[in-house]
Amino acid sequence: MIWTIEPATPADLDAIETIERHSFPRPWTRAMFEGELSREHSHLHVARDRHVVGFAVFLIVAGEVHIHSIATHPDHRRAGVGAQLLGHLLAIGRAASAALATLEVRRGNLPAIAMYERAGFQTVTVRVGYYQDN
């Protein structure tokens, strides 16, 4: 299935918060997402069919895309939503002349690691203690 991907609006924040709480042990707050909506270099995009099924938060600064998070609602996981969001944000980065894309991912998040590797990402370094809850 192909989802519509577009910039998030304040009306999407309830759905984004729900997905965030289902996806991460230390979820971002609503205020953090509101901040991303207003920052110059930050992007918060959603994938939707009739409802928001996933989101991506990323920055484009100094020729680099930095991916903060990609998350999919549990009812839509393993259907390609995350991969489509990743492709979308990388295309935005290329259009902005970004030459590099970076991210951090938990070593135990094997589905995410597999998705990033399929997209050509490689492990450069492992930051011991990066995630406080590991």
Side-chain angles (χ1 to χ4, degrees), residues 16-123:
I16 290 168
E17 277 188 294
T18 298
I19 294 167
E20 177 77 3
R21 282 193 312 273
H22 282 91
S23 300
F24 301 104
R26 292 180 158 247
W28 282 19
T29 65
R30 183 182 195 92
M32 294 168 83
F33 286 110
E34 288 170 343
E36 295 305 310
L37 286 174
S38 65
R39 284 191 183 82
E40 178 183 355
H41 299 289
S42 184
H43 300 267
L44 173 55
H45 287 210
V46 294
R48 67 174 86 240
D49 49 22
R50 292 181 314 276
H51 306 284
V52 173
V53 297
F55 70 87
V57 182
F58 58 102
L59 298 172
I60 301 176
V61 179
E64 180 178 318
V65 175
H66 181 75
I67 303 167
H68 281 295
S69 63
I70 296 176
T72 303
H73 190 281
D75 294 343
H76 297 277
R77 290 188 181 148
R78 304 196 57 80
V81 177
Q84 189 176 336
L85 282 161
L86 177 60
H88 175 80
L89 70 88
L90 292 174
I92 290 172
R94 282 191 297 276
S97 300
L100 179 68
T102 63
L103 59 100
E104 285 83 23
V105 63
R106 280 181 175 76
R107 291 191 297 186
N109 191 346
L110 300 180
I113 292 168
M115 178 184 73
Y116 293 125
E117 287 177 345
R118 283 191 301 272
F121 284 80
Q122 299 174 4
T123 300

